Amino acid sequence: MSLYDDAVLVLKGYEDQTELRQAYLDHMAEHPDGLWKACQAGHVTASALVIDPEGGRVLLTLHKKLQMWLQMGGHCEPGDATLAAAALREATEESGVSGLSLLPGGPVRLDRHPIPPPCHCHFDVQYAVVAPPDAAHTISDESLDVRWFGYDEVPGVADASVIRLLEATRARLAA
């Protein structure tokens, strides 16, 4: 199965945010290259919130280009077999944490947002990954900083999309 086919199946199986999900599927139908950065009309990205449920905290990156505290994530690459694998790869690369595991249940949220040129729009498929106990992190080339924040600290440093992702992740953990 191709990454494109996986993305379509993942999106069709995602039961929340029905209008936004349909916009993602419409975009992919109109743009067979809609997974790749080269698609100037926008492209699907994969991200993951790194979470430590035992410690009640999340690991965020201070994105070098955007100068914002965000979850780990980015563009799909040709070697990615699935969107989940792309999110896990991005989380591992950007956090330096080994042994991350995807939170079961598929994507946690979708978030479409504009990005400064050369990108125009990201159709972000957002996952959550659980960090192993005592996870050690590093700062990647794409980050100015990487830091753990308690759940209650996130609204003071991150934007609304990260806050919504954290809320949805916590709800899934509680289910």
Side-chain angles (χ1 to χ4, degrees):
M1 177 184 309
S2 70
L3 179 59
Y4 181 93
D5 293 336
D6 173 76
V8 170
L9 282 175
V10 165
L11 291 166
K12 284 183 176 179
Y14 180 72
E15 296 179 354
D16 295 327
Q17 300 175 271
T18 53
E19 287 183 29
L20 186 56
R21 178 192 64 174
Q22 190 58 52
Y24 278 48
L25 289 166
D26 292 346
H27 174 76
M28 301 241 346
E30 293 169 20
H31 303 281
D33 63 341
L35 284 165
W36 312 116
K37 188 176 182 178
C39 182
Q40 291 300 308
H43 41 274
V44 173
T45 56
S47 68
L49 183 67
V50 177
I51 190 163
D52 171 15
E54 299 293 319
R57 59 191 188 150
V58 297
L59 187 64
L60 299 178
T61 179
L62 183 56
H63 195 277
K64 190 180 278 185
K65 222 172 158 181
L66 300 175
Q67 306 262 322
M68 297 170 61
W69 287 103
L70 300 169
Q71 76 275 12
M72 315 298 165
H75 296 103
C76 296
E77 295 182 0
D80 295 327
T82 64
L83 282 179
L88 184 59
R89 174 188 51 75
E90 285 286 339
T92 302
E93 287 175 1
E94 291 186 13
S95 70
V97 176
S98 58
L100 295 172
S101 59
L102 284 160
L103 190 64
V108 176
R109 281 193 51 78
L110 303 177
D111 185 76
R112 180 177 53 191
H113 49 269
I115 295 292
C119 299
H120 295 287
C121 181
H122 280 176
F123 294 82
D124 196 30
V125 180
Q126 300 177 325
Y127 291 83
V129 294
V130 178
D134 302 321
H137 61 276
T138 58
I139 299 172
S140 77
D141 292 341
E142 296 178 29
S143 303
L144 295 172
D145 196 4
V146 175
R147 189 179 311 162
W148 287 105
F149 292 94
Y151 294 160
D152 60 340
E153 295 176 297
V154 173
V157 298
D159 72 358
S161 73
V162 177
I163 295 166
R164 287 189 298 269
L165 177 56
L166 174 58
E167 290 169 351
T169 300
R170 291 182 72 190
R172 179 158 312 162
L173 284 167

